[in-house]
Amino acid sequence: MLFFSRHRSVLCAGACAAAMTAAFPAVAVDAGGGVETVVVTGQKVHGDIQSIPIAITALSQAELTSQQIAGGPDLIKTVPNLTFSKTNFAGYNLEIRGIGTEAISVTTDPAVAIALNDTPFIRNHFFEQEFFDLDQAQVLRGPQGTLYGRNATAGVVNLITAKPTDQYEAMASVDIGNYSGRRLEGMLNVPIVGDKLDLRVAGEWTMRDGYTSDNVTDKNVDGRDLWSGRATVLFHPIEGLTANLVWEHFSEDDDRLRAGKQLCTRDNGPSVVNGPAGPQIPDTNDQTGNFGEPWLSQGCSPGSLYGPSAFQTPNAGAVPFIAAGYIFGLTNAGPDPYGGINQSPDLRTISSALAPHYRAKNDTVEFNVDYAVTPDLTITSQTGYGKDRLYSTQDVDGFDSATGVFLDTTGTLGGTLVGQDGAFCDPQLGCSNKFIGMDISQEHSEQFSQELRLASSFNGPFNFSIGANYLHYQTVEDYYVLYNAATAFAEGANTFFGAGAPFPADAAHIPFDPVFANSCGPVPSVPNNPDLGGGTGLGCIYVDPNPLSQIDGQGHNYFRSENPYRLHSYAIFGEAYYQVTPDLKLTGGLRWTDDQKSFTEIPSWALVLGQGLPVSGILNQGWKEWTGRFNATWTPKLDFTDQSLFYASYSRGYKAGGANPPGVIPLTNGVGGFAGSPSDATHPLTFKPEFIDALEFGTKNTMLGGALTVNADIFYYAYQSYQISEIVDRTSVNLNFNAHVKGAELEATWEPISGLRLNFAGGYEDGTLDNGSQAIDLMDRTAGQPGWMVVKPYITQTSNCVLPTAVVNELLATHNVLFGCINAYNPGVMWDPVTNAPYVPNPAGFPGYAGFDPATAPNNGEGFAKNLAGNKLPNMPPFTLSLGAQYTMPVNGTWTATVRGDGYWQGNSFARVFNDKPYDQIKGYTNVNLSLTLANPDGWQTMLYIKNVFDTTAITGAFLNSDDTALTTNVFLTDPRLFGVRISKSF
């Protein structure tokens, strides 16, 4: 790749670059032409960038500004085969060459390591924080199995902060744009004691209004209010010793949305089910009927995310706790709580009754020391510490509800839960006559790391770099889902089974009464969970009385997934470099990593008796693995180039496995009436580590006296046990798949005349799953098999099942389908609510199915596994393309003007490994940026800019929610058109 800078020399500090893309900063013009590059520190050792055979992109702060790369997500516009999307739980998925972090678990390691000054940090704010006062932002492509090691199977993003100098410097800038955007940035560099002690402080503040409109509150949300500050002290007491102490703080407090709009193609369920008992019409309103319609709909069906049907609302009768409220006379679920209305077709318009809140704080401290023991040997120490906290809440679905969801009269469970206007008062979500829900994603973590390296710089053919490091990381991550309908069910159950008096019937808005709501009878013994107490009564569902921002986490009126995790990682590593001949160099490296993970298993409990979340166990895992690389570099003298390099490399990468978060442990009444999903027992507790074997061949060439550079590479990956998640049974189940990836990258930069610069970066990638790959598609559990259909589970269960159509028809005719899945999950224990006797799944004379047992349904009733061999890896567009051009010219004796345009395009991809069309299809998109910059030698610069000129709203990723929330889909979007002016002054 090609990289422009203010200096015409080409230096690379690191085993860096098979390709280096960047744009010429607006303030620099080279009349003589030629490629201009900067010094980088790609792999912790120094070298000429055109002589280092590793793929990297490096951008200085000037390039970041001129190309309008404000933060991590914008890097895709200049790095080939790089994609980015936010994910559902306050995280993100950055993929390099089709490999990213597709697994969801607190124990999952990121496939792309994010490093600050060469130190990786597991918890970071790469997608929220904006770039400021950087020396470089570097992207290393391919597995980094030696120097970065354990989890960098896809690559590394390394942010190198600007270091203090022994000169007085300062910079200030003001940026004003649409959406009331305001951004301030500043830097001050002060030499304190000559070149012995220097101080540099820098910071930035960003504020803007939201991109998203909420048509319930008539307010905009998804705004920004964030700031970052950094202080760096450089200490150079003696020759050969340099130390840097860096402290960086990030803070955000605004209404950022973690996920955008939630889409759904409504599944109304079948109108007729044909079978031996004759065609049956599901009963939609009779509480004592066969529950046909709500129990034969999965809520949403697999329609396109781009068609008009995607803006419907779910069939909410398919949500278990809504149906439960209806069954027990607490909610008016005869009409759909969502009213069957359609959403706004605008992807930037949501319907949320409560405002989102996003709060994050991060502190990072680094102490890095370089000491030249001899002129040929340098010891490097890197110490890093990070502390992070995050709290985020938003509407869990973004759908508006019809009014009158809650009954005004006494429910069948006893007691009046709502006032005469139908407003139910939830302690966390407030009083409302609508169905509303919120979620909370929060975490707090700490990390400490220490690395020591010894590197040589001998004049002879042999050199080396060896080292060791230690990493400690600990965190607790929580995810909550809160619905007022769930709390209504919990309080209703407590009024019926408890000992307290009912709520006053004449109150307009009934205040929450924690004494009454939680004064139920004694808690019964629960199998395998003695911590929940004992007794003879049905007990009490503890309802958390605290407001949303102060919940105690012990309530069972909401869902909580609590995930404490601890990591200890040790490694020793080394690389050796040998110059065999003047034009042939060999590199070999090895790394031994010892990862030890400890995960506390805390199953989730919702709408069950008791209080709190008992610990079911502690899962300890460990791996000891060898990784590394081998590289051969050839630098021949060719007649048609100024400088050429050819290389071939093999790399072995590794990323540790982990633990699947525990699912729901349901209450059981002994006859299956409260039985759990089949997968409660079948989901694996752990998932395997990933391994990658990578081959890469590349060339880098400088021609026409430095005016043209052309770099290219091809690669092939054999991937073992790629970690990919599904949300099943209110938890994340991480599966492992083998895959192969192949691809190529081509980059060129050309300066045909003085002042005109052109750059190109193109990537191709093709990743497919290997033979033997299979999984159950939660959106299509029958997988097209004739004679089978999806059935909702009982209200205490969490996952749908599949049953033969004839069995469903018989249930509709003689019983009901409310308990249909329990037979597939727990044969012989289903209780028939009509006969009050055990249900017989194979009644005599059952036509065509004599002796049929639903327990023999595929995968214990979960569904048919699909053959995924040959399917494309998710979030992997086959092509990415970047084009840039700028022209700089004088406008008078002192001022210059630079016009710049950048274009980016990526092709279609799939959101999931199932590659189901049209549901999984993610369409490609184009992004175009334009700018005009005026600059003078006194340090003044004014930039007029437009980002996303054509105002493209593109979906970058999709997240399928669970069965028991109707299989809705969250989508993540690009930013809209942004324009503004930036004025800066350097001193």
Side-chain angles (χ1 to χ4, degrees), residues 443-777:
E443 61 83 22
H444 58 85
S445 63
E446 286 189 89
Q447 174 180 323
F448 171 79
S449 64
Q450 176 63 57
E451 178 166 303
L452 291 173
R453 297 193 307 274
L454 176 66
S456 70
S457 56
F458 302 134
N459 291 326
F462 175 77
N463 277 286
F464 66 88
S465 175
I466 59 173
N469 62 26
Y470 167 73
L471 170 67
H472 168 73
Y473 176 74
Q474 63 182 34
T475 186
V476 176
E477 295 189 4
D478 279 330
Y479 183 68
Y480 295 81
V481 177
L482 308 93
Y483 282 103
N484 57 359
T487 301
F489 178 82
E491 291 189 20
N494 290 346
T495 63
F496 182 66
F497 297 117
F503 288 109
D506 58 349
H509 293 283
I510 307 301
F512 175 74
D513 184 351
V515 175
F516 164 68
N518 296 306
S519 63
C520 313
V523 178
S525 298
V526 177
N528 302 319
N529 287 280
D531 290 340
L532 288 186
T536 58
L538 281 176
C540 163
I541 299 172
Y542 173 67
V543 177
D544 190 337
N546 299 293
L548 184 67
S549 61
Q550 301 174 16
I551 55 177
D552 60 24
Q554 304 300 303
H556 289 169
N557 60 309
Y558 46 68
F559 163 83
R560 179 187 184 187
S561 177
E562 183 181 9
N563 297 279
Y565 164 60
R566 187 183 300 265
L567 165 69
H568 294 278
S569 182
Y570 311 82
I572 55 175
F573 56 87
E575 283 194 337
Y577 318 99
Y578 191 77
Q579 195 76 42
V580 181
T581 67
D583 59 1
L584 179 62
K585 182 178 180 179
L586 302 180
T587 298
L590 284 176
R591 180 186 183 99
W592 179 80
T593 303
D594 182 354
D595 284 329
Q596 301 296 323
K597 295 185 175 184
S598 178
F599 177 65
T600 303
E601 297 178 300
I602 305 177
S604 59
W605 295 67
L607 299 180
V608 296
L609 310 182
Q611 176 180 355
L613 302 177
V615 174
S616 64
I618 297 177
L619 181 61
N620 295 314
Q621 297 174 274
W623 299 269
K624 296 178 175 64
E625 301 293 343
W626 287 97
T627 57
R629 72 180 185 117
F630 175 80
N631 185 284
T633 304
W634 181 43
T635 54
K637 303 296 184 182
L638 302 177
D639 294 337
F640 54 90
T641 66
D642 304 327
Q643 179 179 323
S644 291
L645 175 147
F646 299 87
Y647 67 90
S649 68
Y650 163 77
S651 299
R652 171 77 167 175
Y654 146 79
K655 190 175 86 165
N660 288 321
V664 175
I665 295 183
L667 187 64
T668 303
N669 68 359
V671 292
F674 299 96
S677 298
S679 44
D680 291 338
T682 59
H683 292 326
L685 294 177
T686 63
F687 54 92
K688 300 176 183 177
E690 296 180 359
F691 296 94
I692 179 174
D693 292 289
L695 292 174
E696 184 170 336
F697 302 91
T699 180
K700 303 195 296 181
N701 304 275
T702 304
M703 296 175 279
L704 303 180
L708 174 66
T709 59
V710 178
N711 301 330
D713 62 73
I714 60 174
F715 56 88
Y716 176 82
Y717 293 170
Y719 218 95
Q720 299 90 45
S721 301
Y722 190 28
Q723 300 160 1
I724 299 178
S725 294
E726 286 189 319
I727 302 300
V728 189
D729 295 328
R730 297 183 194 155
T731 189
S732 173
V733 177
N734 295 290
L735 308 175
N736 293 99
F737 298 94
N738 294 340
H740 285 79
V741 182
K742 59 186 177 182
E745 292 152 351
L746 174 65
E747 297 145 304
T749 301
W750 184 30
E751 185 179 351
I753 61 174
S754 177
L756 176 62
R757 310 266 183 164
L758 308 172
N759 63 275
F760 169 88
Y764 162 75
E765 55 190 358
D766 179 25
T768 57
L769 296 177
D770 288 355
N771 291 335
S773 299
Q774 62 177 14
I776 297 171
D777 185 349

Side-chain angles (χ1 to χ4, degrees), residues 26 90 207 289 424 428 526 627 707 878 971:
M207 178 176 280
F424 171 71
Q428 284 82 49
V526 177
T627 57
V971 293

Side-chain angles (χ1 to χ4, degrees), residues 252-326:
E252 179 173 358
D253 191 352
D254 49 39
D255 56 4
R256 179 195 291 266
L257 291 173
R258 297 192 316 275
K261 199 177 185 76
Q262 195 167 105
L263 303 182
C264 174
T265 297
R266 182 182 174 89
D267 178 15
N268 288 313
S271 59
V272 172
V273 178
N274 290 303
Q280 299 294 320
I281 300 176
D283 191 323
T284 58
N285 296 311
D286 184 2
Q287 286 178 287
T288 62
N290 56 31
F291 301 103
E293 181 176 326
W295 249 254
L296 299 181
S297 166
Q298 59 184 28
C300 300
S301 59
S304 169
L305 301 179
Y306 298 89
S309 65
F311 300 99
Q312 296 173 347
T313 52
N315 184 347
V319 177
F321 55 83
I322 295 179
Y326 167 59

Side-chain angles (χ1 to χ4, degrees), residues 99-151:
I99 301 300
T101 308
E102 294 286 347
I104 301 171
S105 168
V106 66
T107 65
T108 301
D109 295 315
V112 179
I114 307 298
L116 184 69
N117 298 317
D118 295 325
T119 298
F121 286 90
I122 295 176
R123 170 59 64 171
N124 58 77
H125 293 274
F126 180 70
F127 87 88
E128 303 117 306
Q129 193 170 7
E130 298 193 352
F131 295 148
F132 71 101
D133 199 38
L134 293 181
D135 182 57
Q136 298 158 31
Q138 305 171 357
V139 182
L140 286 71
R141 301 193 300 281
Q144 308 296 315
T146 305
L147 298 178
Y148 284 100
R150 54 182 296 273
N151 61 340

Side-chain angles (χ1 to χ4, degrees), residues 344-358:
S344 166
D346 185 351
L347 285 172
R348 300 196 190 279
T349 298
I350 63 172
S351 301
S352 176
L354 300 177
H357 189 195
Y358 195 94

Side-chain angles (χ1 to χ4, degrees), residues 921-957:
Q921 188 79 64
I922 301 295
K923 293 183 179 180
Y925 66 93
T926 301
N927 182 279
V928 176
N929 300 333
L930 297 174
S931 66
L932 170 63
T933 303
L934 301 174
N936 74 0
D938 295 329
W940 284 101
Q941 186 182 85
T942 299
M943 172 188 283
L944 304 175
Y945 63 85
I946 304 178
K947 299 180 66 173
N948 191 4
V949 172
F950 300 110
D951 199 19
T952 300
T953 299
I955 296 175
T956 62

Side-chain angles (χ1 to χ4, degrees), residues 862-886:
E862 291 184 71
F864 291 86
K866 288 184 175 180
N867 178 17
L868 305 181
N871 281 16
K872 303 298 182 183
L873 292 180
N875 301 303
M876 177 187 278
F879 296 100
T880 60
L881 178 66
S882 300
L883 293 169
Q886 70 175 44

